[in-house]
Amino acid sequence: MLETILLATVAWTVQDHDQPFATYWQDVKFWEILERHPRTLVVDPYCGPDDRPWIEDEIRTLREHGVRPVAYLSLATVGKHQTDLYSLADEKGLLGPRDPYWEGDRAVRFWERTWLDALCTKFEELRDLGYEGVFIDVVDSWTLDWYVKWFRRETGEDAEKLRELTYGALEELIQAALHLGLEVYVNAGGAIFDPKLAELKERYGFKVVVEDVITDDEGDLVPDDVFRDYLRALAHLGSGVYVIEYDLTMTPEVNERLEELFAETKVEAVYVTSLDHDRLGIDIVPIKAPVNPSDTSGSSGEGKASYTRENRENKEDLKRIPVEELVEEGPKKLPVIPILPPVRRRYLTA
């Protein structure tokens, strides 16, 4: 009974200041970060202000302003801009084919001891620079056709072996990072539907990031059955999960999916940004109180647009509004949408 009551009172809002999670690794503007001060910020350590590597003084300044800096690294690929890692992989014969989707990135023989040792050494360097965490990307190589084809040519093994090697390497990196006192974020990719990921998360307590749950990278709604699969997987992962959506546009259908997402899972926030991560995006977060409890000026709800299920059903009344425009209106004018309790919860079966 209590759970139903709580669910019925949950709402969401859009947040661009003191947001819980953000990414930013192209065309970085340092002043923008300090002005908006996201609590956790994922950056590419090789791509900082003025398109150069982040330096210790900048990392220290972020931390002094309440920003927790997290460094982006990839397990199964390496970018040419990651000069030290790329040169090592080239010198040791670890490089594979070019990533067909990300210019400048190459596959890498991540299962080799040399590569794993290089990443662990990089973790230490990042910790010493002041980073508080690492964000590990491309942990789903066995779901990528182009990668599996190369792996088969290289080793004669199949995708299941690649999956096994991936989890072995990922677990080693997680252990190394935690030993150094770094917080770990894992970008799930295609591994989101694999119970093994949830098992590792429960064992080590790292955070998980999932992309394109509500819409695909073209901005279209993902099919209903795919969305339901995501809900089951996200519910299975529990708390400490962040969703990234790209250039999300507010529609009645998106509103309803946000309601379901926050009602049926423990997702911390939906982060909306550009595909290039070339600006600080915004967070859509579930709330049970004003965004800033110390700010009582808007606690009465004055100035906020309130939507009910009845008036949302008239889709002509709710035009397509880019999320960026909502942010420009200011936090007191953003919609707070009540979530109705679901008929039943869905769980991922192992």
Side-chain angles (χ1 to χ4, degrees):
M1 180 65 179
L2 177 59
E3 183 182 19
T4 300
I5 293 173
L6 288 175
L7 280 171
T9 60
V10 170
W12 60 260
T13 191
V14 181
Q15 200 171 353
D16 74 333
H17 283 69
D18 197 31
Q19 59 194 112
F21 179 88
T23 62
Y24 201 3
W25 49 68
Q26 289 195 69
D27 301 325
V28 174
K29 298 177 179 62
F30 195 66
W31 62 266
E32 183 181 12
I33 299 171
L34 298 184
E35 181 181 81
R36 291 178 52 183
H37 51 79
R39 295 197 294 274
T40 294
L41 176 66
V42 181
V43 299
D44 185 329
Y46 297 86
C47 302
D50 302 319
D51 197 28
R52 53 159 175 74
W54 286 85
I55 60 176
E56 187 174 358
D57 284 347
E58 290 166 341
I59 296 298
R60 182 186 306 111
T61 300
L62 291 183
R63 297 176 67 176
E64 289 172 350
H65 282 74
V67 178
R68 182 187 300 113
V70 174
Y72 173 100
L73 285 174
S74 173
L75 167 62
T77 62
V78 63
K80 199 166 187 179
H81 71 288
Q82 298 172 300
T83 49
D84 55 341
L85 292 173
Y86 190 92
S87 295
L88 179 140
D90 191 17
E91 177 187 337
K92 300 297 183 180
L94 302 177
L95 290 177
R98 302 184 188 282
D99 186 326
Y101 303 104
W102 291 102
E103 185 178 356
D105 284 10
R106 299 271 297 273
V108 66
R109 295 172 66 93
F110 67 85
W111 55 90
E112 298 281 356
R113 183 76 263 153
T114 301
W115 182 249
L116 291 176
D117 286 346
L119 289 183
C120 290
T121 299
K122 178 57 67 173
F123 284 178
E124 290 187 54
E125 294 175 9
L126 295 169
R127 189 273 312 271
D128 293 344
L129 276 173
Y131 287 95
E132 296 186 27
V134 289
F135 178 102
I136 306 176
D137 198 11
V138 195
V139 303
D140 62 342
S141 57
W142 78 93
T143 71
L144 307 174
D145 288 343
W146 67 274
Y147 205 106
V148 173
K149 289 177 182 177
W150 168 67
F151 178 74
R152 283 175 175 157
R153 290 195 303 268
E154 290 286 296
T155 67
E157 301 283 359
D158 61 10
E160 181 55 34
K161 182 62 176 180
L162 181 56
R163 173 183 175 274
E164 177 187 330
L165 291 171
T166 301
Y167 279 121
L170 177 61
E171 186 166 10
E172 181 172 336
L173 292 183
I174 291 169
Q175 290 173 341
L178 294 176
H179 179 73
L180 291 168
L182 295 168
E183 191 166 31
V184 177
Y185 291 75
V186 173
N187 191 17
I192 179 64
F193 303 112
D194 192 338
K196 177 67 175 178
L197 182 70
E199 176 189 322
L200 284 180
K201 181 178 181 296
E202 184 176 2
R203 185 182 310 165
Y204 293 105
F206 55 82
K207 306 293 179 65
V208 171
V209 174
V210 185
E211 299 173 286
D212 295 324
V213 171
I214 295 173
T215 60
D216 58 26
D217 57 12
E218 299 294 328
D220 299 321
L221 291 174
V222 300
D224 286 342
D225 58 337
V226 173
F227 179 62
R228 306 297 163 205
D229 287 342
Y230 271 117
L231 289 181
R232 287 191 290 270
L234 291 169
H236 198 59
L237 286 171
S239 60
V241 178
Y242 300 88
V243 169
I244 296 181
E245 295 288 338
Y246 297 101
D247 296 317
L248 187 69
T249 298
M250 304 308 296
T251 66
E253 294 83 4
V254 167
N255 284 340
E256 291 183 4
R257 286 196 170 185
L258 284 167
E259 291 179 357
E260 288 187 75
L261 180 68
F262 289 132
E264 299 191 26
T265 74
K266 294 182 179 179
V267 164
E268 307 283 343
V270 175
Y271 176 64
V272 184
T273 188
S274 65
L275 269 174
D276 294 329
H277 300 267
D278 58 356
R279 56 178 167 80
L280 270 181
I282 57 173
D283 280 314
I284 301 174
V285 298
I287 59 170
K288 297 179 181 141
V291 172
N292 180 2
S294 64
D295 177 11
T296 58
S297 60
S299 60
S300 65
E302 184 177 354
K304 291 184 177 180
S306 178
Y307 292 83
T308 64
R309 185 171 298 277
E310 288 73 24
N311 63 34
R312 282 200 318 276
E313 286 179 350
N314 185 351
K315 297 182 181 181
E316 294 181 357
D317 291 341
L318 186 58
K319 63 180 180 179
R320 296 175 68 88
I321 304 173
V323 170
E324 293 89 337
E325 292 183 18
L326 293 178
V327 174
E328 291 173 2
E329 293 180 8
K332 294 185 180 64
K333 297 181 180 179
L334 296 171
V336 175
I337 301 181
I339 297 177
L340 301 178
V343 176
R344 63 186 178 88
R345 288 186 174 270
R346 304 177 179 89
Y347 295 92
L348 184 71
T349 57

